[in-house]
Amino acid sequence: MASAARSPQLRKDAVTNRWGIFSPARAKRPSDFKSKSPTINSNPNQECPFCIGHEHECAPEIFRVPPDNSDWKIRVIQNLYPALSRQNPDSNAVVQDSNANSMILEGLGFHDVVIESPLHSIQLCDLSPQDIGDVVLAYRTRILQIMCYNSIKYVQVFKNHGVSAGASMSHSHSQMLALPIVPPTVSARLDSMKEYFDQTQKCSVCEVQGEDHLIDASTHFISVVPFAASFPFEIWIIPRDHSPHFHEINDEKAADLGGLLKLMLKKLALQLDNPPFNFMIQTSPLDITASELSFSHWFLQIVPQLTGVGGFEIGTGCYINPVFPEDAAKVLREVSVSK
């Protein structure tokens, strides 16, 4: 059924505990959706500090792949303009504000950049599944390094692609922020997962399997448009096996994830005219209890930037989505990507 022929609905997501409004009257046909500000492919001759040969223009390097090789494929570096200071992150102490309801922490943690290719003209979706898998493994390696700091509670891996998605550099890269707190959205997601588990004795993410929402699948992962998607053409890539922590991924599954992630980015680019997008790895806090392992499950969330966020969304935390998830999934299933 086309979105335009359906009445509005409110849906609640069992994973995020977030309500969404589906209002197809605000949209044209789902298949007609295109980006209002498509990402322009880089000039192949352009060079920047992230390009090979310009390493001296960057902040200090943490590691590269392959290691100790001038012909590198991936570099992980410190962010030149970090949101947090990496000066002795384990020294963080709570400072009580004069207001009894407030709390202050020193802004200590890590803010890193993962340069996904040595060449300016190559985007993540241009890489082979194995090479995208190597980027995934670079995330894993860095998280395992950061875990030795007891003060770090959560590591957010994210990618901003395109200016309107928050990217300040066009060279393909992603970022990692290691925080001394568990962010409220993560806590709310865990609470929602626990509530579902307490009611059903099942993991809410493992249960995201509906055929109407399925886009594609690989050996170890499925890709879906979630039941209560906050954004049009939002995609989740979910491990088939129950897995609380992203950093437990092995080499085989990383390459498999690389293939499905490449396919989803290609489908979005073809269907939506190469939109700006964000992706986030939604994982569990580094330190969770044994009981929380039963209901926490990581996934990779892709959000193409097609609609703005206005006062209603900011004020309520509810998002208005003009495309029903079933319709978005059907459109994306039918996008043919050449091998």
Side-chain angles (χ1 to χ4, degrees):
M1 183 185 299
S3 283
R6 301 171 70 175
S7 299
Q9 285 184 1
L10 277 79
R11 294 185 182 184
K12 186 179 181 182
D13 192 291
V15 176
T16 65
N17 200 36
R18 177 180 290 165
W19 282 94
I21 298 175
F22 295 86
S23 184
R26 298 167 63 90
K28 45 198 169 183
R29 292 181 302 172
S31 58
D32 290 338
F33 252 85
K34 302 293 178 185
S35 171
K36 297 176 182 178
S37 53
T39 304
I40 306 300
N41 290 329
S42 300
N43 182 337
N45 298 317
Q46 185 176 351
E47 293 191 358
C48 75
F50 287 177
C51 292
I52 193 165
H54 293 259
E55 293 83 357
H56 62 285
E57 299 176 35
C58 294
E61 179 178 298
I62 300 168
F63 66 88
R64 64 176 59 188
V65 180
D68 304 320
N69 192 324
S70 59
D71 191 21
W72 54 270
K73 291 168 51 180
I74 300 165
R75 286 211 314 142
V76 180
I77 64 173
Q78 298 179 17
N79 194 309
L80 192 60
Y81 305 103
L84 296 170
S85 169
R86 61 183 68 234
Q87 299 295 326
N88 194 14
D90 268 344
S91 67
N92 223 333
V94 176
V95 179
Q96 196 74 33
D97 193 11
S98 56
N99 183 337
N101 294 322
S102 300
M103 187 179 294
I104 298 173
L105 274 176
E106 292 293 330
L108 302 178
F110 297 97
H111 189 179
D112 303 330
V113 175
V114 180
I115 305 172
E116 300 157 352
S117 165
L119 302 178
H120 197 92
S121 60
I122 301 297
Q123 294 300 320
L124 184 65
C125 65
D126 298 323
L127 299 177
S128 70
Q130 183 63 57
D131 286 343
I132 298 176
D134 288 342
V135 174
V136 170
L137 292 175
Y139 301 152
R140 181 191 70 180
T141 297
R142 184 57 182 146
I143 293 173
L144 293 174
Q145 291 175 346
I146 290 171
M147 285 176 65
C148 69
Y149 294 92
N150 294 328
S151 65
I152 300 300
K153 308 303 180 187
Y154 191 80
V155 181
Q156 181 66 67
V157 178
F158 64 99
K159 178 177 177 65
N160 303 331
H161 175 76
V163 174
S164 60
S168 57
M169 299 278 286
S170 59
H171 192 122
S172 190
H173 69 286
S174 36
Q175 300 182 61
M176 305 177 67
L177 258 169
L179 301 165
I181 60 166
V182 177
T185 300
V186 177
S187 296
R189 186 172 71 242
L190 282 178
D191 289 344
S192 183
M193 290 174 168
K194 181 180 186 302
E195 181 181 354
Y196 185 89
F197 184 81
D198 289 344
Q199 293 172 355
T200 66
Q201 297 303 299
K202 296 179 180 179
C203 165
S204 58
V205 178
C206 288
E207 292 294 290
V208 180
Q209 300 281 352
E211 289 186 9
D212 289 344
H213 300 101
L214 183 69
I215 304 169
D216 212 309
S218 63
T219 303
H220 299 291
F221 296 88
I222 63 170
S223 58
V224 301
V225 178
F227 168 76
S230 295
F231 307 95
F233 295 92
E234 176 182 349
I235 296 173
W236 291 3
I237 300 180
I238 301 172
R240 289 178 181 268
D241 295 332
H242 183 75
S243 178
H245 285 113
F246 160 77
H247 64 257
E248 295 172 344
I249 194 170
N250 62 28
D251 292 15
E252 177 189 345
K253 291 181 179 179
D256 190 53
L257 174 59
L260 193 55
L261 176 56
K262 177 183 176 76
L263 179 62
M264 292 303 101
L265 295 179
K266 287 285 191 182
K267 281 179 175 280
L268 289 175
L270 286 169
Q271 178 60 39
L272 304 175
D273 194 17
N274 197 19
F277 67 83
N278 306 97
F279 79 56
M280 295 70 62
I281 295 177
Q282 306 290 15
T283 188
S284 301
L286 296 178
D287 186 19
I288 59 175
T289 65
S291 62
E292 290 172 324
L293 293 173
S294 300
F295 57 78
S296 55
H297 191 143
W298 75 268
F299 59 94
L300 189 152
Q301 178 187 22
I302 309 173
V303 177
Q305 293 296 329
L306 300 169
T307 56
V309 174
F312 174 79
E313 289 83 1
I314 295 171
T316 64
C318 296
Y319 290 79
I320 300 174
N321 187 340
V323 182
F324 274 95
E326 298 81 8
D327 297 334
K330 181 177 185 297
V331 169
L332 291 172
R333 276 197 302 271
E334 295 174 352
V335 176
S336 178
V337 176
S338 58
K339 300 297 184 182

